[in-house]
Amino acid sequence: MLEIKNLCKAFHKNKSDEKVIFEDFNLKIKSGEFVTIIGGNGAGKSTLMNLISGTIFPDRGKIVVEDRDVTKLPEHKRAKFIGRVFQDPLKGTAPSLTIEENLSLSMLRNSRRTLSFGVKKNNSEFFMKELEKLNLGLEKRLKTKVGLLSGGQRQALTLLMATITKPKILLLDEHTAALDPSSRDKILNLTNEIAKDEKMATLMITHNMEHALNFGNRTIMLKQGKIVFDVKGEEREKLDASEIQNSFNF
Amino acid sequence: MNILISTCSQGLIYAILALGVYITFRVLNFADMTAEGSLTLGGSTCAILISNGVDPISSVLISSMVGAIAGLATALLHTTLKMQEILAGILTMISLYSINLRIMGKANVSLIGKNTIFKMVGNTQISSFLVGLVICSLLLLGLTWFFKTQIGLAIRATGDNEQMMRAQGANTNLKKILALMISNSICAISGALISQSQGYSDVNMGTGTIVIALASIVIGEALLQKDSFIVKLISVVFGSICYRFIIFLVLTLGMNPSDLKLFTAILAAVLLSLPNIKKVIKRGVKNVGN
């Protein structure tokens, strides 16, 4: 599904403050995998996501999605098969547009935008059904401006918008870090439901060791741009959160 | 009565400019200085076409297309050459000064004795009011429709949250280019009508007009605070008419016409900062309460 080959990335290249993030980095993720990514600040977690999504481009190496080399594809073109949720709940939605308008925009992800009306009547039933799954009562507020929603509600909406067209890859960059505990749990459970999709690969960055082990089916740890730790299956189930925290002390 | 109507019709013609500026300033969240240049560009193109015998309506349409090119220039400076939006606009605006002189061949072109849209419908004050009203209404309907389409929604979302729009698979640079072209073609239409209404075009006719447009937008927002998009556009038109009445009032009260630009700038500054002033006052009251 997703394959990263010999990836190299440095910031401020050829300058005195050059910072090498990745050197010959390799990673393979199969569809149906839900990978949680842990690692200290500066380990390259967010850079990895930005490289996969096309916000930044690698110096060398390849990024392949389903046998297709996407290394040079710009961000908006990769968005056709990559869904993203950012840490900041305000980043994933357009506040002055309504819930319905936001969802309509995300429905158009795979198609060319035309001069037909953006909000289609026959979509609203589908939207309501999808919003009902969030369990936040948003299905009754299709015409509400997104700016009036809480951070948790906006993040839930972002998650729905990121996955409404069934992407191949879902990137979650600490998407619950800015939420209160009850919204956080809601979003995590929702993420878990969505990530069960066998055809999709999910990557989730988290700083919470328990979340990293309790959610998903594979955990990798990054340190200075290298995978220092990659577990799945039984081996992973035996792991204890505090144990990792201590042994890698970050 | 006559003054009332002529003030209104002037307000309507400048409302077209304000609507153009509204698209960049409020919808796209892009401070576009090109507007001043493209207003004059529309005025000079239209004047030179009419004085060479082209019919007034086609002249306005051609002017709007030329205005769109000015918008394209700014958009390309910003999107492909990564220039700051203000700088990109100023560069185009300054270049347009020379281009406008080239187009007209001199600093101003008179339309005295030539046919204009206003003469076509009778050349009375009522008729020029009606011309303004019809064009504004068409524009309001057109823009309301456009910003409800898939492309229009994507432009609004780009202005709202560009990162989100890219993550949703939109080429946000294309959206910006499109919005700037539409905005500047509307500014050029306004310029074309202004030159026909005043009977001449002048290379300096655009100077300070962006402040007039901003003042109209904020006056409108202070008057009508509604969430619906069409009401927001209507408020811009109302704001422009109100602005003309305010100007009429201060002039009758004896203000020196040369102080008008300063007055307009202060008016715009006060109204733009009103939300913040309100916040500060609220906080102040709270502090006293504590």
Side-chain angles (χ1 to χ4, degrees):
Chain A
M1 160 67 78
L2 171 68
E3 199 178 351
I4 296 166
K5 289 183 204 162
N6 311 103
L7 189 82
C8 297
K9 177 74 194 172
F11 290 115
H12 309 289
K13 230 181 158 182
N14 300 328
K15 287 187 190 140
S16 59
D17 56 345
E18 178 178 298
K19 188 166 175 17
V20 178
I21 307 284
F22 291 113
E23 222 180 301
D24 211 16
F25 180 86
N26 291 287
L27 179 65
K28 245 185 193 177
I29 294 169
K30 283 188 240 135
S31 55
E33 269 189 326
F34 179 176
V35 185
T36 55
I37 303 175
I38 50 178
N41 290 327
K45 307 181 302 294
S46 293
T47 308
L48 179 65
M49 291 228 168
N50 288 336
L51 285 163
I52 296 173
S53 63
T55 318
I56 53 176
F57 294 94
D59 301 327
R60 269 200 311 278
K62 263 187 186 174
I63 299 169
V64 180
V65 176
E66 276 190 342
D67 299 326
R68 182 179 172 202
D69 185 351
V70 300
T71 316
K72 295 211 167 94
L73 214 60
E75 183 183 4
H76 67 269
K77 286 196 176 146
R78 285 191 215 184
K80 288 187 170 58
F81 47 83
I82 296 179
R84 277 176 92 187
V85 183
F86 308 99
Q87 177 178 358
D88 183 350
L90 308 182
K91 277 192 183 161
T93 43
S96 70
L97 302 185
T98 63
I99 294 180
E100 193 174 29
E101 286 167 332
N102 270 281
L103 285 169
S104 303
L105 281 170
S106 60
M107 286 288 282
L108 295 169
R109 202 191 266 243
N110 291 321
S111 47
R112 188 166 265 280
R113 287 167 191 79
T114 65
L115 284 177
S116 59
F117 278 111
V119 174
K120 297 222 162 60
K121 283 235 163 60
N122 48 11
N123 267 342
S124 54
E125 214 167 291
F126 170 67
F127 289 159
M128 284 205 257
K129 225 188 269 164
E130 291 291 314
L131 285 166
E132 231 166 83
K133 290 185 201 156
L134 304 181
N135 233 336
L136 294 166
L138 295 182
E139 62 276 8
K140 292 174 204 126
R141 300 173 66 186
L142 278 181
K143 305 269 182 231
T144 303
K145 291 249 146 89
V146 168
L148 299 173
L149 304 182
S150 72
Q153 288 170 327
R154 280 182 76 165
Q155 205 64 326
L157 185 62
T158 310
L159 193 57
L160 178 57
M161 285 168 64
T163 51
I164 205 161
T165 52
K166 307 276 175 221
K168 289 173 186 153
I169 298 166
L170 176 62
L171 301 176
L172 309 165
D173 190 350
E174 284 188 71
H175 68 311
T176 59
L179 305 178
D180 65 57
S182 87
S183 317
R184 186 191 64 200
D185 293 344
K186 259 189 193 163
I187 299 290
L188 276 172
N189 289 328
L190 198 64
T191 308
N192 217 18
E193 283 304 307
I194 290 170
K196 275 182 186 156
D197 185 346
E198 285 294 312
K199 287 178 196 139
M200 186 172 72
T202 306
L203 281 88
M204 177 171 93
I205 294 178
T206 175
H207 277 301
N208 185 317
M209 290 304 132
E210 276 165 29
H211 294 164
L213 292 177
N214 293 342
F215 291 92
N217 43 33
R218 179 178 171 190
T219 298
I220 61 176
M221 183 194 279
L222 290 181
K223 198 172 188 180
Q224 290 168 343
K226 293 198 166 51
I227 297 176
V228 289
F229 184 82
D230 186 349
V231 282
K232 48 188 159 189
E234 242 175 77
E235 191 190 348
R236 184 171 178 266
E237 267 157 44
K238 278 188 246 154
L239 279 172
D240 180 61
S242 55
E243 210 177 299
I244 316 182
Q245 191 121 27
N246 290 335
S247 58
F248 290 92
N249 65 69
F250 70 90
Chain B
M1 188 61 193
N2 271 349
I3 289 164
L4 192 77
I5 292 171
S6 71
T7 311
C8 275
S9 48
Q10 208 178 8
L12 285 170
I13 292 174
Y14 274 93
I16 300 169
L17 170 76
L19 284 170
V21 173
Y22 186 84
I23 293 173
T24 47
F25 184 64
R26 283 297 193 223
V27 179
L28 194 62
N29 215 350
F30 186 111
D32 179 29
M33 297 292 295
T34 325
E36 291 201 352
S38 45
L39 178 112
T40 318
L41 180 65
S44 49
T45 310
C46 185
I48 210 76
L49 286 171
I50 288 179
S51 61
N52 280 306
V54 181
D55 79 280
I57 292 177
S58 325
S59 303
V60 172
L61 292 177
I62 295 169
S63 304
S64 78
M65 282 180 236
V66 179
I69 298 172
L72 177 67
T74 303
L76 289 179
L77 285 176
H78 175 66
T79 55
T80 55
L81 300 181
K82 310 279 173 222
M83 227 167 260
Q84 283 176 29
E85 48 195 65
I86 294 267
L87 190 59
I90 288 176
L91 288 181
T92 314
M93 182 182 79
I94 293 295
S95 331
L96 283 174
Y97 185 85
S98 302
I99 292 169
N100 288 327
L101 280 173
R102 282 264 176 200
I103 289 174
M104 294 191 289
K106 49 191 172 189
N108 48 56
V109 168
S110 166
L111 289 175
I112 292 170
K114 304 281 179 190
N115 195 13
T116 67
I117 287 190
F118 301 100
K119 281 184 191 160
M120 286 164 81
V121 288
N123 207 18
T124 61
Q125 265 175 340
I126 279 281
S127 66
S128 52
F129 169 74
L130 287 176
V131 168
L133 193 66
V134 167
I135 295 178
C136 268
S137 314
L138 286 177
L139 212 52
L140 280 178
L141 289 176
L143 289 176
T144 309
W145 164 78
F146 176 71
F147 282 108
K148 274 187 190 298
T149 65
Q150 296 174 351
I151 294 174
L153 265 186
I155 289 177
R156 287 167 67 190
T158 302
D160 228 12
N161 189 343
E162 191 181 344
Q163 188 179 12
M164 164 254 183
M165 234 12 239
R166 259 186 277 122
Q168 292 294 342
N171 185 343
T172 49
N173 280 345
L174 275 182
K175 304 288 170 295
K176 286 185 188 174
I177 292 172
L178 194 60
L180 278 162
M181 287 177 76
I182 294 172
S183 161
N184 281 291
S185 79
I186 293 173
C187 295
I189 292 178
S190 177
L193 292 174
I194 290 169
S195 69
Q196 293 186 45
S197 139
Q198 65 191 12
Y200 65 92
S201 79
D202 182 274
V203 73
N204 287 318
M205 68 191 271
T207 313
T209 46
I210 196 154
V211 184
I212 295 177
L214 289 182
S216 308
I217 291 170
V218 282
I219 292 171
E221 284 171 344
L223 289 176
L224 283 171
Q225 289 163 333
K226 270 276 167 66
D227 264 351
S228 111
F229 195 72
I230 185 157
V231 178
K232 281 182 180 167
L233 292 181
I234 291 172
S235 83
V236 175
V237 178
F238 270 122
S240 175
I241 295 172
C242 279
Y243 170 79
R244 287 295 148 188
F245 276 104
I246 294 171
I247 294 302
F248 173 70
L249 195 72
V250 295
L251 285 179
T252 18
L253 288 177
M255 185 185 270
N256 188 337
S258 62
D259 290 337
L260 272 185
K261 284 198 164 78
L262 175 65
F263 172 77
T264 308
I266 294 174
L267 182 70
V270 169
L271 286 172
L272 277 169
S273 56
L274 214 54
N276 287 328
I277 296 173
K278 269 187 198 160
K279 252 186 234 162
V280 171
I281 292 173
K282 248 189 204 166
R283 216 182 298 143
V285 171
K286 248 188 209 162
N287 286 344
V288 172
N290 286 341

